[in-house]
């Protein structure tokens, strides 16, 4: 595993964690057949990797690219990759075990994007879906899930409570839980979801190569909720036996920084989520299967406020990248890490210099999260 963590807070207020040695940690890769599965899906096409020279100048690096997940398999976020693969594996296993052709009910909890992806997959495959949404999910996000044909149940509580409700509901006959967070005793399906996200990383490799970045990125910034996407990113970049290994930075809302807090304490902990426009990241408990990968393979973690993500979304939009508040968190976190007081120390910890290549994962478009990300909001928060 990696060396002992070093945790510190940089003046005046930036939450920051860094772990030396993370780039030396190694794990097993994701299955190669995941990419083939997605490529064969109707309407599949790789999402853009857009270069932003002005952001490279601002961040003091050589090149900056944004992986734009504002339209993935007809949905405004990357989540369809994990949901489609996990449902495929779930139904295939059911058939292999002698299950009949009767439709099942796919049950899940969501802050928005995952639930809609499960509902869309269920509709396309002739299955039913029941989606639990926590308090604070925008009514339009809940309505989009219902428009996919799913039953939507609103929970008077945070995301963790919605997950508990979904797990209880999935105990009914003919129901299957398709949840994108894991806990003891429920880890196989979340593992398939993480595998599904590997397609995004494989696309980045090919797109960087086409842009004459043969050695891969030097920093990848990833927005984090329970940590499933970050687990996929860690798996992709830490499963290579040799060669260049990038620094990996996780970014969370300050109102729900469960990964940052867990890394700081060196054990998984639950935090009480507050209010944030980064609804898809408003999670209080790390996924049990993600935690070992994040603990060992993340170089650094930080947390940003709603104003930071809103301004980042506005700036990305001006450069032609449509990003919601969760997706824009990657830029907001990179700005916080690479600029301001203590930036030199943080850049050194990440191994960055004036020729470094940075990849920002913009995990959703504005349609995924109806919360305002306009100049008006950015100027008044």
């Amino acid at each position: 595993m990696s060396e002992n963590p070093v945790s510190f807070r940089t003046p005046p207020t930036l939450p920051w964690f860094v772990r030396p040695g993370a780039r030396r940690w190694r794990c097993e890769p994701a299955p190669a057949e995941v990419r083939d599965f997605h490529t064969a899906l109707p309407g599949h096409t790789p999402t853009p990797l857009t270069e932003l020279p002005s952001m490279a100048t601002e961040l003091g690096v050589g090149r900056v690219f944004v992986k734009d997940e504002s339209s993935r398999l007809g949905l405004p976020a990357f989540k369809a990759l994990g949901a489609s693969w996990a449902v495929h594996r779930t139904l295939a296993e059911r058939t292999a075990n002698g299950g009949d052709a009767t439709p099942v009910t796919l049950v899940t909890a969501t802050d928005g994007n995952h639930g809609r992806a499960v509902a869309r997959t269920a509709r396309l495959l002739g299955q039913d879906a029941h989606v639990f949404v926590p308090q604070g999910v925008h009514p339009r996000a809940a309505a989009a899930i219902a428009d996919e044909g799913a039953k939507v149940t609103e929970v008077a509580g945070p995301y963790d409570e919605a997950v508990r409700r979904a797990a209880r509901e999935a105990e009914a006959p003919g129901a299957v839980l398709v949840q994108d967070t894991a806990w003891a005793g429920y880890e196989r399906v979340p593992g398939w979801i993480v595998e599904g996200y590997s397609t995004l990383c494989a696309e980045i490799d090919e797109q960087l190569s086409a842009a004459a970045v043969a050695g891969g990125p030097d920093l990848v910034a990833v927005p984090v909720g329970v940590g499933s996407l970050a687990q996929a990113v860690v798996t992709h970049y830490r499963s290579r036996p040799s060669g260049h290994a990038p620094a990996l930075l996780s970014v969370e809302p300050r109102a729900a920084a469960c990964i940052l807090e867990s890394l700081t304490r060196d054990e998984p902990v639950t935090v009480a989520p507050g209010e944030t426009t980064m609804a898809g990241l408003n999670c209080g408990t790390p996924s049990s299967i993600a935690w070992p990968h994040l603990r060992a393979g993340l170089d650094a973690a930080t947390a940003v406020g709603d104003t930071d993500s809103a301004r980042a979304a506005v700036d990305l939009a001006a450069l032609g990248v449509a990003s919601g508040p969760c997706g824009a968190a990657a830029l907001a976190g990179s700005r916080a890490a690479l600029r301001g007081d203590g930036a030199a120390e943080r850049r050194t910890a990440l191994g960055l210099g004036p020729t470094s290549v940075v990849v920002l994962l913009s995990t959703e478009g504005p349609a995924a999260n109806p919360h305002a990300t306009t100049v008006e909001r950015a100027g008044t928060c």
Side-chain angles (χ1 to χ4, degrees):
M1 302 294 284
S2 57
E3 298 176 5
N4 291 332
V6 176
S7 176
F8 58 88
R9 293 185 181 273
T10 32
T13 59
L14 179 66
W16 178 254
F17 169 94
V18 63
R19 185 188 297 280
R23 272 160 276 181
R24 296 195 297 271
W25 184 76
R26 292 294 180 266
C27 61
E28 292 298 314
E33 61 264 28
V34 178
R35 180 77 186 283
D36 294 335
F37 166 79
H38 286 133
T39 300
L41 291 177
H44 172 270
T45 186
T47 56
L49 186 72
T50 304
E51 185 168 9
L52 303 178
S54 63
M55 285 297 168
T57 300
E58 178 187 328
L59 297 178
V61 296
R63 303 176 77 176
V64 170
F65 296 85
V66 177
K67 183 61 169 168
D68 181 358
E69 291 291 313
S70 60
S71 180
R72 171 68 78 171
L73 288 168
L75 294 176
F78 75 101
K79 291 285 189 176
L81 292 172
S84 60
W85 176 247
V87 171
H88 164 73
R89 290 296 307 270
T90 297
L91 296 181
E93 183 177 82
R94 183 171 182 266
T95 299
N97 291 336
D100 58 34
T102 304
V104 299
T105 299
L106 306 176
V107 183
T108 195
T110 186
D111 281 319
N113 295 331
H114 172 69
R116 188 175 178 188
V118 170
R120 170 69 65 87
T121 303
R123 178 170 63 82
L124 293 176
L125 297 178
Q127 310 297 316
D128 299 319
H130 187 177
V131 180
F132 290 78
V133 299
Q135 185 177 8
V137 169
H138 197 283
R140 291 204 298 276
I145 297 170
D147 287 344
E148 300 289 348
K151 177 181 178 181
V152 177
T153 298
E154 298 185 18
V155 175
Y159 173 80
D160 286 1
E161 177 58 27
V163 171
R164 286 189 285 269
R165 289 282 304 277
R168 289 198 298 268
E169 180 69 18
E171 294 173 357
V176 178
L177 186 65
V178 185
Q179 195 58 59
D180 58 344
T181 187
W183 55 88
Y186 182 73
E187 295 181 330
R188 184 166 52 169
V189 173
W192 291 336
I193 290 173
V194 172
E195 289 176 357
Y197 298 154
S198 65
T199 291
L200 182 157
C201 299
E203 290 176 2
I204 291 173
D205 284 348
E206 295 172 359
Q207 291 165 326
L208 285 178
S209 180
V213 185
D218 299 296
L219 172 69
V220 179
V222 53
V224 172
V226 300
S228 296
L229 176 60
Q231 180 188 352
V233 172
V234 169
T235 298
H236 183 76
Y237 290 106
R238 301 295 185 246
S239 60
R240 299 171 175 178
S242 61
H244 177 67
L248 305 178
L249 169 69
S250 71
V251 185
E252 298 170 274
R254 292 195 185 193
C258 66
I259 301 300
L260 177 63
E261 187 65 23
S262 297
L263 290 170
T264 301
R265 298 189 188 187
D266 204 26
E267 62 178 355
V269 298
T270 295
V271 302
E275 294 185 4
T276 175
T277 56
M278 290 173 272
L281 309 180
N282 196 14
C283 307
T285 304
S287 170
S288 66
I289 60 171
W291 167 246
H293 287 70
L294 305 189
R295 181 191 178 277
L298 281 177
D299 294 83
T302 192
V304 297
D306 286 359
T307 301
D308 304 314
S309 69
R311 286 177 176 154
V314 170
D315 293 341
L316 288 172
L319 295 172
V321 177
S323 184
C326 296
L331 173 57
S334 297
R335 282 172 161 171
L338 304 184
R339 305 189 311 179
D341 293 342
E345 184 177 5
R346 295 190 294 273
R347 294 170 77 95
T348 298
L350 295 171
L352 298 183
T355 63
S356 296
V357 175
V358 174
V359 172
L360 311 174
L361 303 188
S362 179
T363 51
E364 66 172 21
N369 183 350
H371 285 289
T373 59
T374 61
V375 173
E376 178 182 0
R377 179 171 185 88
T380 58
C381 286

